[in-house]
Amino acid sequence: MSEQHHTASEADDDGPAGACEDGRHGYMSEKSKYLTRLRRVEGQVRGIHRMVDEDVYCIDILTQISALQSALENVGLALLDDHLRHCVAHAMESGGEDAEAKLQEASAAIRRLVKS
Amino acid sequence: MSEQHHTASEADDDGPAGACEDGRHGYMSEKSKYLTRLRRVEGQVRGIHRMVDEDVYCIDILTQISALQSALENVGLALLDDHLRHCVAHAMESGGEDAEAKLQEASAAIRRLVKS
Amino acid sequence: MSEQHHTASEADDDGPAGACEDGRHGYMSEKSKYLTRLRRVEGQVRGIHRMVDEDVYCIDILTQISALQSALENVGLALLDDHLRHCVAHAMESGGEDAEAKLQEASAAIRRLVKS
Amino acid sequence: MSEQHHTASEADDDGPAGACEDGRHGYMSEKSKYLTRLRRVEGQVRGIHRMVDEDVYCIDILTQISALQSALENVGLALLDDHLRHCVAHAMESGGEDAEAKLQEASAAIRRLVKS
């Protein structure tokens, strides 16, 4: 997966589009909380893998997939809330082009979460 | 996770609610395909974990979360399709109470997928 | 909108893809129930139109939009349940090509509901 | 429906929670655009009502319901974008308690859109 996250905005780590004004992302203060939640999500995926491997009934697997989707959605929503509170808020305070870029980016991310 | 998937319907593995008529679940013929897809999903989760750990920009993490949700949805939809084609189809052919139980169960699973 | 619902499958109303075996769709027995729910949905849309017209606060409008989406989803899920119970069940009982066509069609409809 | 939209936040129309700083909501400058889109949505609902009334095939009705959900989602996402750009941006510029209230409110609205 590591190759998949080298996206355009990550690349220019010092530019306005790929970082907060102060170079610190919104989730940083609670990084360990996110890491713990993602470990749990990883455990859920492994649990589903095991269920398929052990021929568990389809409907029970689907129930776990729905639970996993809900957990992932919550991680995404928490990250987005942190992003609005920090990166977007900072950009809005300084105003100008960066504020507009950050807003467009946030709206596009919200759209992807709603549509996925 | 293993403790989480011991649900009611899995328990009665020989009863009508937790198994297909013939005791074989719909996804079995393509089990290795599902296991491969779930390994890939697990890799995606680990990739997101690494992104948070390496302080990657929030929006790029959100993009990967949306991609992961889409991949998971596709696994769920494929499992459901297999379930309708096998377990539900068998139950409908034999008719009666089991057909009704299987339909209610499938509709509830579809509802959870749509709502999650 | 009337022109929008003249789709391919509706056109061949007497063929296997656009109708149940017996020419009666799953929702027919409860047609008036669906008509009532759709009238209520129409009222909800008009309510949202009025809110925008009266300059109601954005967040309150968004709350009504979420409620409307949920109501619509429930109509879709009920229609799908009826469809599985009637059209798909009939096709499965007679088996063959039509059963396969109906299953593919139902899976595609479930996918659209999950993805939208 | 009109009685349903008299929510708490709408009530205190001059307070910080139910209005933008300047008393003008984000969507106001494009009000006629939203009214047009909502008229179209209302037409889509009436089209679906007619389809049920005329016994159109279930799957075709489900297709129109998915299209309608997508149209509604787009209205919600546009309203949210306007809200972030105006009401939330204004609150952030002035800072303090109102900024925090606006952010919590926006995050809750995003959550409802994602979950519905």
Side-chain angles (χ1 to χ4, degrees):
Chain A
M1 270 312 290
S2 69
E3 62 285 12
Q4 239 176 290
H5 69 257
H6 290 291
T7 64
S9 62
E10 187 201 358
D12 61 346
D13 214 39
D14 43 11
C20 288
E21 302 272 290
D22 60 357
R24 296 189 51 81
H25 307 314
Y27 61 83
M28 279 205 170
S29 57
E30 311 212 66
K31 199 167 138 170
S32 70
K33 193 190 71 181
Y34 284 109
L35 292 176
T36 306
R37 288 171 84 167
L38 287 165
R39 277 278 173 250
R40 212 178 302 138
V41 165
E42 199 190 318
Q44 283 178 276
V45 178
R46 264 202 302 270
I48 292 167
H49 187 278
R50 203 182 310 124
M51 288 169 91
V52 171
D53 200 33
E54 293 172 359
D55 308 325
V56 168
Y57 184 48
C58 332
I59 293 291
D60 293 328
I61 301 176
L62 286 171
T63 302
Q64 291 308 314
I65 287 178
S66 294
L68 178 49
Q69 279 182 312
S70 198
L72 256 176
E73 252 172 30
N74 290 337
V75 172
L77 289 165
L79 266 174
L80 186 69
D81 181 76
D82 275 339
H83 181 66
L84 291 174
R85 275 167 199 287
H86 297 95
C87 308
V88 178
H90 287 168
M92 277 172 172
E93 275 159 30
S94 36
E97 264 179 53
D98 188 35
E100 175 58 27
K102 282 277 180 289
L103 270 167
Q104 281 187 13
E105 209 182 45
S107 280
I110 293 168
R111 170 172 293 271
R112 283 190 299 268
L113 280 183
V114 167
K115 298 276 182 185
S116 74
Chain B
M1 271 312 291
S2 70
E3 61 284 13
Q4 239 175 291
H5 69 254
H6 291 291
T7 63
S9 61
E10 187 201 359
D12 60 349
D13 214 39
D14 43 13
C20 288
E21 303 271 292
D22 61 356
R24 297 190 51 80
H25 307 313
Y27 60 83
M28 279 205 170
S29 57
E30 312 211 63
K31 200 166 139 171
S32 70
K33 193 190 71 181
Y34 284 108
L35 293 176
T36 305
R37 288 171 85 168
L38 287 164
R39 276 281 173 249
R40 211 178 304 137
V41 165
E42 199 189 321
Q44 283 179 275
V45 178
R46 263 203 302 271
I48 293 167
H49 187 277
R50 202 180 312 123
M51 288 170 92
V52 171
D53 199 33
E54 293 172 359
D55 308 326
V56 168
Y57 184 48
C58 332
I59 292 292
D60 293 328
I61 301 176
L62 285 171
T63 302
Q64 292 307 314
I65 287 179
S66 294
L68 178 50
Q69 280 182 311
S70 198
L72 256 176
E73 253 173 27
N74 289 337
V75 173
L77 288 166
L79 266 174
L80 186 69
D81 180 75
D82 276 339
H83 181 65
L84 290 175
R85 275 167 200 286
H86 297 96
C87 308
V88 178
H90 287 168
M92 277 173 173
E93 276 159 29
S94 37
E97 262 180 54
D98 188 35
E100 175 59 27
K102 282 277 179 292
L103 271 168
Q104 281 187 12
E105 210 182 45
S107 280
I110 293 168
R111 171 172 293 271
R112 284 192 297 270
L113 281 183
V114 168
K115 298 277 183 185
S116 74
Chain C
M1 272 312 295
S2 70
E3 63 283 11
Q4 238 175 292
H5 69 258
H6 291 290
T7 64
S9 64
E10 187 199 359
D12 60 349
D13 215 38
D14 43 12
C20 287
E21 303 271 293
D22 62 357
R24 294 186 57 79
H25 307 312
Y27 60 83
M28 279 204 170
S29 57
E30 312 211 63
K31 200 167 138 172
S32 70
K33 193 189 71 181
Y34 284 108
L35 292 176
T36 306
R37 288 170 85 168
L38 287 165
R39 277 279 174 250
R40 211 178 303 137
V41 165
E42 199 189 320
Q44 282 179 277
V45 177
R46 263 203 302 271
I48 293 167
H49 187 278
R50 201 180 313 122
M51 288 169 91
V52 171
D53 200 33
E54 293 171 359
D55 308 325
V56 167
Y57 184 48
C58 333
I59 293 291
D60 293 328
I61 301 175
L62 285 172
T63 302
Q64 291 309 314
I65 288 179
S66 295
L68 179 48
Q69 280 182 310
S70 199
L72 256 176
E73 253 172 28
N74 290 337
V75 173
L77 289 165
L79 266 174
L80 185 68
D81 181 75
D82 275 339
H83 181 65
L84 291 175
R85 275 166 199 286
H86 297 94
C87 308
V88 178
H90 287 168
M92 277 173 173
E93 275 158 31
S94 36
E97 263 179 53
D98 188 36
E100 175 58 28
K102 283 276 180 292
L103 270 168
Q104 281 186 13
E105 209 182 45
S107 280
I110 293 168
R111 171 172 294 271
R112 284 192 297 270
L113 280 183
V114 168
K115 298 277 182 185
S116 74
Chain D
M1 270 313 292
S2 69
E3 63 284 13
Q4 238 175 291
H5 69 258
H6 289 292
T7 64
S9 63
E10 187 201 0
D12 60 347
D13 214 39
D14 44 11
C20 288
E21 303 271 292
D22 61 357
R24 296 188 51 81
H25 307 313
Y27 61 83
M28 279 204 171
S29 57
E30 311 212 66
K31 200 167 137 170
S32 69
K33 193 190 71 181
Y34 285 108
L35 292 176
T36 306
R37 288 171 84 167
L38 287 165
R39 277 279 174 248
R40 212 177 305 137
V41 165
E42 199 189 319
Q44 284 179 275
V45 177
R46 263 202 302 270
I48 293 167
H49 187 278
R50 202 181 313 124
M51 289 169 91
V52 171
D53 200 33
E54 294 171 359
D55 308 324
V56 168
Y57 184 47
C58 332
I59 293 291
D60 293 328
I61 301 176
L62 286 171
T63 302
Q64 291 308 313
I65 287 179
S66 294
L68 178 50
Q69 280 182 311
S70 198
L72 256 175
E73 251 172 30
N74 289 338
V75 173
L77 288 165
L79 266 174
L80 185 68
D81 181 76
D82 275 338
H83 181 65
L84 291 175
R85 274 166 200 288
H86 297 94
C87 308
V88 178
H90 287 168
M92 277 173 173
E93 275 159 30
S94 37
E97 264 179 53
D98 188 34
E100 174 60 27
K102 282 277 179 291
L103 271 168
Q104 280 187 12
E105 210 182 45
S107 280
I110 293 168
R111 170 173 294 273
R112 283 191 298 269
L113 280 183
V114 168
K115 299 276 183 186
S116 73

